[in-house]
Amino acid sequence: AATEVDSQSLLRPQVDEALNQLPPAYRDAIALRFYCHRSYAEIAVSLGVNEAAAKKRVSRGIDKLRSLLRGKA
């Protein structure tokens, strides 16, 4: 458990930096999903989109975040 905490604290600044580079639509969707633990239905209401669009924003946001963290964006 100690190594997991150490890894998380090392990665957190990199993840935060990458999140800040995302377009707001994707950043907001990811923040609501993973930091606020919202359902896709709740994300849809918060963002003013339908549930399918909310899922797509989270999915695309994750893809972009992954690319940023790998240094490909």
Side-chain angles (χ1 to χ4, degrees), residues 4-18 35 69:
E4 183 177 322
V5 172
D6 292 342
S7 296
Q8 287 178 359
S9 58
L10 289 173
L11 290 175
R12 183 63 188 245
Q14 294 172 333
V15 172
D16 287 345
E17 183 180 333
Y35 290 94
L69 290 168

Side-chain angles (χ1 to χ4, degrees), residues 16-62:
D16 287 345
E17 183 180 333
L19 276 170
N20 287 329
Q21 294 178 47
L22 291 178
Y26 298 138
R27 183 175 56 240
D28 293 347
I30 286 177
L32 288 167
R33 182 70 177 156
F34 297 106
Y35 290 94
C36 299
H37 308 288
R38 299 285 193 262
S39 69
Y40 288 113
E42 292 169 322
I43 294 168
V45 170
S46 294
L47 299 180
V49 298
N50 64 39
E51 196 169 335
K55 287 179 183 180
K56 186 58 81 175
R57 285 189 187 183
V58 171
S59 176
R60 288 182 178 161
I62 290 170

